Amino acid sequence: MENHHTYIKRALELARSGMESGDGGPFGVVIVKGDEVIAEGHNCVLSSNDPTAHAEVVAIRKACDFLGTYQLDGCVIYSSCEPCPMCLGAIYWARPKAVYYVCTREDAARGEFDDEFIYNEINMSIEDRSIPFIHISIEKADELFLRWLKKSDRKSY
């Protein structure tokens, strides 16, 4: 039986220790399969100089490595905070069965981790985004996708 509070408390401990060590912001994650913790992570943006080293991404990478697969089938993610848009995308690609979290994105915003502008940018047309996204047309570039579809050893994901 899953013990949600135990795993959430561990995620909070990871968030605290990662923050106090100077690795990054106050975010921690535990990933569980069945009743086994298969991966843990905390935010490592500052210690790794990697803007993608959020706790969820760190833990997903470890869990997938542990399981030897790119999916978290049957796994549950416990996070100290509601995932940001990047982590939300990573979670959907990993396909766990559930995500439990403690703090909300509004709580994070009060701590100066405000992702609302990203949520807004996602819904804007490309022309209206604050970072220019410029399409470059190269003839037959899309043939890569056709070649992908024809690969005999292709594994869909």
Side-chain angles (χ1 to χ4, degrees):
M1 180 175 166
E2 296 171 328
N3 188 340
H4 302 307
H5 282 89
T6 299
Y7 300 133
I8 281 292
K9 285 179 182 177
R10 177 64 183 149
L12 289 167
E13 288 172 12
L14 291 164
R16 184 176 299 109
S17 67
M19 176 189 66
E20 289 175 354
S21 71
D23 286 345
F27 303 96
V29 169
V30 174
I31 300 179
V32 177
K33 185 163 188 168
D35 59 0
E36 179 186 3
V37 173
I38 62 166
E40 297 182 334
H42 63 268
N43 185 292
C44 294
V45 169
L46 299 176
S47 62
S48 66
N49 292 317
D50 179 354
T52 68
H54 289 201
E56 293 88 344
V57 173
V58 169
I60 288 169
R61 288 174 179 162
K62 289 179 181 178
C64 288
D65 185 53
F66 176 80
L67 294 171
T69 182
Y70 52 88
Q71 305 244 284
L72 297 179
D73 296 329
C75 295
V76 176
I77 295 176
Y78 293 90
S79 181
S80 63
C81 190
E82 181 179 357
C84 75
M86 178 186 67
C87 294
L88 184 64
I91 288 166
Y92 272 94
W93 283 118
R95 296 180 178 94
K97 70 178 185 178
V99 177
Y100 292 86
Y101 64 93
V102 181
C103 298
T104 66
R105 68 192 209 196
E106 292 81 13
D107 295 329
R110 284 190 292 277
E112 297 185 359
F113 293 95
D114 191 352
D115 298 322
E116 197 60 35
F117 81 97
I118 298 173
Y119 286 104
N120 292 335
E121 291 275 316
I122 289 169
N123 292 319
M124 288 183 179
S125 66
I126 288 178
E127 303 80 41
D128 294 331
R129 291 182 180 163
S130 63
I131 296 175
F133 281 73
I134 302 148
H135 177 248
I136 297 175
S137 182
I138 296 179
E139 190 175 329
K140 298 183 180 184
D142 61 342
E143 286 183 3
L144 289 170
F145 293 107
L146 297 175
R147 289 184 70 177
W148 168 254
L149 291 173
K150 291 177 182 176
K151 272 180 62 79
S152 62
D153 61 344
R154 175 174 58 100
K155 187 172 183 180
S156 295
Y157 58 95

